Amino acid sequence: MNKKTIAFVTGGYSGEAVISYKSAVTIEKNIDKDKYSVYKIDMHPTGWWYETEEGEEVAVDKNDFSITVEGKKITFDSVLIGIHGTPGEDGKLQGYFDMLKIPYTSCNAATSALTFNKRYTVAVAAFGGISVAKSLLIFKHSPVAASVILEQLQLPVFVKPNNGGSSIGMSKVTKPEELEGALQKAFNEDDQVLVEEFIKGREFTIGVFKNNGNIITLPITEVISKKDFFDYEAKYVAGMSEEITPAAVDEAIAEKIRNKAKLAYQLLNCRGVVRIDFIFNEVEQQPYMLEINTVPGQSEASIVPKQVLAMGWTLKEFYSALIEESFKY
């Protein structure tokens, strides 16, 4: 059997590149090398490079996304996308691979671009019957006074960059005088900022992927932050949050979350694995969708790998399933 040749892309152009490199360690360790010939491509602002075993850097030919190693030109059957942030999570790479007719493991260009924009994501979700928090989208070129925002939204609110992930630039605001500083912090990361009303409840997150045409939900994780909310530190610093997988939750609540997660996956035409964050409001007995991560973290500390293991799969089986599914599009 001829091995498929896979490009595994990591790095990226944003502050999230550091998370991409952490994910890369887990992914590299668990791609089935008996099934696939794997070439890791590091994409960063100085260029796209493959490093040989001897440590030589080989530039990627961007005309056809190929590399030439020891005089042999190598092209790829599929691309496993492991880049968090731009250009791997916002549709830019997906559009490039679409033009070259190379399959890849993530959502398509349109879905990636849409879900990278938190406001547009929740707008589409709400249109499809999924509960979301009340929010405002603020643009840097059209500033809105804090007082005007507070006329439309009730405190507490979350202020976060509208594009991007890993909770970089995010703040929880409980007093009116804190809002201006929180806006500035978020604008340092993005020229669009989302201000969103706080939903009281338990925080859950769930991985969803497609296998053999079926939408599969991974075991749910409950996130209990030791800080006031699940920010960058709570996500990536050991001991700052407790993640319980599978979540200790009534089956009726779990079923509501699973159903809404599947609905969101369908509604937004997702592919590959995504992770969807919810707050379950216990008064309304309703899950509120917060956001969709189309390239969820795969590091040792990340949630999706833990959910995969809790389901009884190995990561090797999981990454193989993602790669095989990519050939069906």
Side-chain angles (χ1 to χ4, degrees), residues 120 137-145 187 190-193:
Y120 297 166
L137 181 59
I138 315 294
F139 296 92
K140 192 177 259 185
H141 60 67
S142 305
V144 177
F187 275 127
D190 191 8
D191 58 7
Q192 298 179 29
V193 167

Side-chain angles (χ1 to χ4, degrees), residues 114-168:
L114 176 70
T115 53
F116 201 66
N117 185 304
K118 295 180 178 73
R119 169 68 173 200
Y120 297 166
T121 304
V122 294
V124 173
F127 189 76
I130 296 170
S131 298
V132 300
K134 189 178 177 186
S135 63
L136 282 177
L137 181 59
I138 315 294
F139 296 92
K140 192 177 259 185
H141 60 67
S142 305
V144 177
S147 58
V148 174
I149 295 170
L150 293 174
E151 283 170 10
Q152 297 175 67
L153 299 177
Q154 287 190 329
L155 290 174
V157 294
F158 284 109
V159 179
K160 50 193 172 184
N162 190 43
N163 301 287
S166 300
S167 300
I168 296 168

Side-chain angles (χ1 to χ4, degrees), residues 20-235:
S20 302
Y21 294 129
K22 287 182 179 180
S23 289
V25 176
T26 306
I27 294 171
E28 271 194 292
K29 210 187 293 180
N30 291 285
I31 296 181
D32 192 338
K33 306 296 196 310
D34 294 330
K35 273 188 181 177
Y36 311 110
S37 296
V38 182
Y39 294 82
K40 183 171 79 171
I41 307 293
D42 190 359
M43 295 183 171
H44 50 83
T46 62
W48 299 0
W49 308 96
Y50 166 70
E51 188 178 316
T52 67
E53 288 178 9
E54 292 75 35
E56 180 197 350
E57 285 192 331
V58 176
V60 173
D61 182 345
K62 294 180 184 176
N63 292 303
D64 60 0
F65 194 66
S66 67
I67 54 175
T68 301
V69 181
E70 295 176 352
K72 183 186 173 190
K73 181 171 176 168
I74 296 162
T75 58
F76 300 103
D77 296 306
S78 182
V79 182
L80 198 165
I81 296 180
I83 293 177
H84 309 299
T86 191
E89 200 168 1
D90 57 0
K92 293 184 175 72
L93 268 188
Q94 288 80 0
Y96 166 74
F97 291 133
D98 284 342
M99 289 193 293
L100 294 175
K101 296 183 166 53
I102 301 173
Y104 48 86
T105 58
S106 76
C107 295
N108 67 20
T111 297
S112 297
L114 176 70
T115 53
F116 201 66
N117 185 304
K118 295 180 178 73
R119 169 68 173 200
Y120 297 166
T121 304
V122 294
V124 173
F127 189 76
I130 296 170
S131 298
V132 300
K134 189 178 177 186
S135 63
L136 282 177
L137 181 59
I138 315 294
F139 296 92
K140 192 177 259 185
H141 60 67
S142 305
V144 177
S147 58
V148 174
I149 295 170
L150 293 174
E151 283 170 10
Q152 297 175 67
L153 299 177
Q154 287 190 329
L155 290 174
V157 294
F158 284 109
V159 179
K160 50 193 172 184
N162 190 43
N163 301 287
S166 300
S167 300
I168 296 168
M170 183 175 172
S171 306
K172 183 180 180 183
V173 173
T174 56
K175 299 172 187 170
E177 60 269 23
E178 296 170 347
L179 184 53
E180 203 58 62
L183 289 167
Q184 193 50 57
K185 180 181 174 184
F187 275 127
N188 288 340
E189 303 296 332
D190 191 8
D191 58 7
Q192 298 179 29
V193 167
L194 185 65
V195 185
E196 192 173 65
E197 283 188 351
F198 171 72
I199 303 291
K200 187 174 173 58
R202 295 167 71 182
E203 184 165 354
F204 297 102
T205 187
I206 181 169
V208 189
F209 71 108
K210 198 175 266 189
N211 188 40
N212 295 322
N214 299 313
I215 297 174
I216 296 172
T217 53
L218 291 168
I220 299 167
T221 297
E222 180 168 12
V223 179
I224 303 167
S225 176
K226 292 185 180 171
K227 298 193 72 185
D228 198 23
F229 65 99
F230 198 46
D231 64 358
Y232 182 91
E233 188 183 13
K235 275 185 180 177

Side-chain angles (χ1 to χ4, degrees), residues 216-291:
I216 296 172
T217 53
L218 291 168
I220 299 167
T221 297
E222 180 168 12
V223 179
I224 303 167
S225 176
K226 292 185 180 171
K227 298 193 72 185
D228 198 23
F229 65 99
F230 198 46
D231 64 358
Y232 182 91
E233 188 183 13
K235 275 185 180 177
Y236 297 110
V237 176
M240 293 307 293
S241 69
E242 190 180 357
E243 295 160 5
I244 302 161
T245 308
V249 62
D250 289 347
E251 180 55 27
I253 293 174
E255 191 60 16
K256 284 182 180 180
I257 294 167
R258 285 193 290 264
N259 287 341
K260 293 299 183 187
K262 283 184 180 178
L263 175 59
Y265 193 97
Q266 275 181 311
L267 197 62
L268 287 144
N269 190 31
C270 293
R271 292 185 200 167
V273 64
V274 307
R275 202 193 77 238
I276 309 178
D277 300 339
F278 290 95
I279 295 288
F280 190 83
N281 184 291
E282 292 175 293
V283 176
E284 297 176 29
Q285 286 294 294
Q286 198 63 248
Y288 278 72
M289 196 189 89
L290 300 178
E291 61 182 271

